[in-house]
Amino acid sequence: MKFRSARAGALVPVAIVLTVALASGVAPAAPFGPERPAPAGEILLKLKKLRTLGSVLYVAAHPDDENTAMLSWLARGRLVRAAYLSLTRGDGGQNLIGAERGEEFGVIRTEELLAARRIDGARQYFTRAIDFGYSKSPGETMAIWGHDEVLSDVVRVVRTFRPDVIVTRFPTNGDGGHGQHTASALLAEEAFTAAADPARFPEQITRDGLAPWATRRLFWNVFRVNPDQRDPKLPKLLAVDLGAYNPFLGRSYSEIAAESRSMHKSQGFGSPERRGTLLNYLEPRLGAAASGDLMDGIDTTWNRLPGGAQVIPPLEEAVRRYRPERPAEVIPPLVEALRRVRKLAPSAEVREKEGEILEAIRAAAGLWTEAISAHYAVTPGSEVTVSVVALNRSDAPLTLRRVEASWGAKPAENLGRLESNRPVKAELTVQVPETTDETNPYWLDAAPGRGLFSVADPKMIGRPESRPTATVRFTLEAEGEPLVYEIPVQYRSTDPVMGERYRPLEVVPKVSLHLAGGVAYFADRKPKELLLTLKGGRKGVAGTAGLRVPAGWTVSASQPFSLREEGEEMKLRFTVTPPEGAAAGLLRAEATVEGTTISHDLLRIDYPHLAPIVLTPPAEARLVRQQTTVKARRVGYITGSGDDVPEALRQLGLEVALLSDEDLASGSLGSFDAIVAGVRAYNTRKRLAALQPRLMDYVRNGGTYVVQYNTTQELLPVELGPFPLTLSRDRVTVEEAPVTFLKADPVLSSPNRIGPGDFDGWVQERGLYFPGSWDARYEALLSMADPGEKASEGALLVARYGKGTYVYTGLAFFRQLPAGVPGAYRLLANLVSAGKK
Ligand SMILES: [Zn+2]
């Protein structure tokens, strides 16, 4: 398997890199798009923030763990630099809004965090750690991640962001539940010491230019607590009121927090806005004591930097001079402050403050800059027009000296003075380098390990997302001082319903290759026809395309193709023949165009609350050959919150019909050999409760009904099966946990004899939300347990009801089938065949 190495053509860092998409306003539902100037109240807040140099890093394990009220209060109230370090991207979570799982889901949750940060004003960092699913212990977590690697990443983020204070969401004692939660607190405490020690992770200092950093103190943001009833022997808590109101913004931090938290839509975290006092408590854990305030004894003024004192007077002057109706009057002192900041010794903090001053100037001038591509997607080696606009909406004397693109293009120079409210426009004809990599999240460029993403360029570690595909740099001048704004190239369109929308410019393959399903399962020795879909990334692409198979497998020859239009699709059929015995391997699609080999798919994910996501994963599918008999022929599927189980049923040779509520209400269910309910069907399909009697009739009359896991939340008020059963939160998270067969039952022996080997090679977990108690008329067939825990017997329950069979299973088929786990296919074949002799 070949993956791209480090991204070529990365941008050369410039002296001033703005915090694109992180510093935008607090206006409701801040969508993805160009940086907008702040309104008058917020400009004053920005000016005050320029005088403050403190910083706080909040640390937890997942997107949605963070205390958004704390982050809003820190960034917008205390005016310190605030950041959230989420160790993982939440890849292992459950997706309430779509069918994406694993890495793709991690990209969605990354974007949800970035959307939340656009609202609360904090920055975002990650480590390389993968959210591998629920874990009951920090020991298991560290063993899978690799303790030293993740610690090194936390230390890197501390040395990069240089916080005065670290706050952990979870305690180290395990009360946080999830093993990854406890691990996040343990690692934050270790990093507190390690980041200051030049002997720890020295390559970050010698190779990557970071310096050791001593954080002053570390707190745990304790859960709900009544400080008066706390054990007096425990450390004294520090109280902070996160419900305070900010008159500059017209909102309280808890109101901002609710909006920020509601960005975690994939987790169903729409949150109510709380008003009034909201006390939170901090327990001192490490470092210098604090008597009344978390920043006690920390100089948060410019005086903390050598030579910093001289920056204070012009910044004070800007605050004094500020009048909301004439914000541009603060530009002269801001430019003077900029001049003085640029004379200080460079550091991450100084660079960031320089960016903030530039943003304040942008806001004071009402300055609008945009770089809009004529197409939303380009291919390597192509040419695209980028229209740039600079617009000064004040009478401040600003001159536009130069506009240049990060890719090859003739810069536009000496564009003259920016007259008030008169847009200055230019067009750049940009050459997309032939060596440019296709757009992809940087942490997915190489195949991930079990516990860590592999990132070739260590300087990318910690960053929330890839660098922008292309940028345009505007060089302005005010009072003789250069002002540089570097912004990403975007595409703009108008949706008739949603209005104006922006998306980042994408680089896509000249031809993308898509293999349906991700798994080709061979239940017998018969050859199968596989469909490869080719899609043109630009006009006029021709070449040959074929499949590469592992040794022992054979495939029909490569075929020529020709696509005239951008977006045009073509399907090619290939015949794949499996080896005689059990086998598994990876199949890769390849196209040859103009002498180069292309082997990537193109995947777009678009949700209204997020910036559009583009991935270009390897065009691969898993080949599995495992003798499997299926007696059923026709299966009806009740889709729940979305899963790929129907495709797996088709791979077994079954005819699958997706059943609508209408089909369930009045269709002829008797024509199905089995009906399968998708994951969380009873949580998400409101009409299922009313349709349940028909499903039970179907079983009584001889049908087979297989229900996959539902959660205990928002469960419909209906008995899930013919007899009572109660769901619990029991789960078995260790995917290797031994499985014991409790009873001999046809479901475990016919048509395929299921043995311990069928539970080999499972991924992420055995199962979840197992029933905790059930009527004696159910047979419990399997028992399993996580290490050191009581066995759970609810993973697979079977009941004979009338002439039919009812199955409830919390086994994680929805994870195993797309991963090509043969035992899961064999067991599923038995479940749907239960009614056939
Ligand atoms: Zn969590």
Side-chain angles (χ1 to χ4, degrees), residues 23 93 111 122 221 242 271 289 323-324 333 339 350 463 465-466 633 700 717 732 776 794:
E111 288 298 328
N221 180 191
L242 307 182
S271 302
R323 290 192 296 152
R339 197 174 280 132
V350 166
R463 281 175 171 260
E465 57 184 347
S466 303
R633 285 287 160 260
R700 200 170 46 234
V732 173

Side-chain angles (χ1 to χ4, degrees), residues 61-62 64-65 170 178 181:
H62 307 114
D64 79 18
D65 286 345
F170 298 105
H178 199 319
H181 290 168

Side-chain angles (χ1 to χ4, degrees), residues 241-244 252 254 274-279:
D241 182 5
L242 307 182
S252 68
S254 48
R274 299 174 61 167
R275 293 178 189 87
T277 293
L278 174 64
L279 287 178

Side-chain angles (χ1 to χ4, degrees), residues 43 53 81 128 208 291 361 393 467 478 507 532 565 589 636 693 757 773 810:
I43 294 175
L53 275 78
R81 294 188 303 133
R128 288 170 294 168
D208 304 335
S291 57
I361 295 172
R393 288 175 285 183
R467 294 191 175 96
V507 181
L532 174 64
E565 297 300 325
S773 62

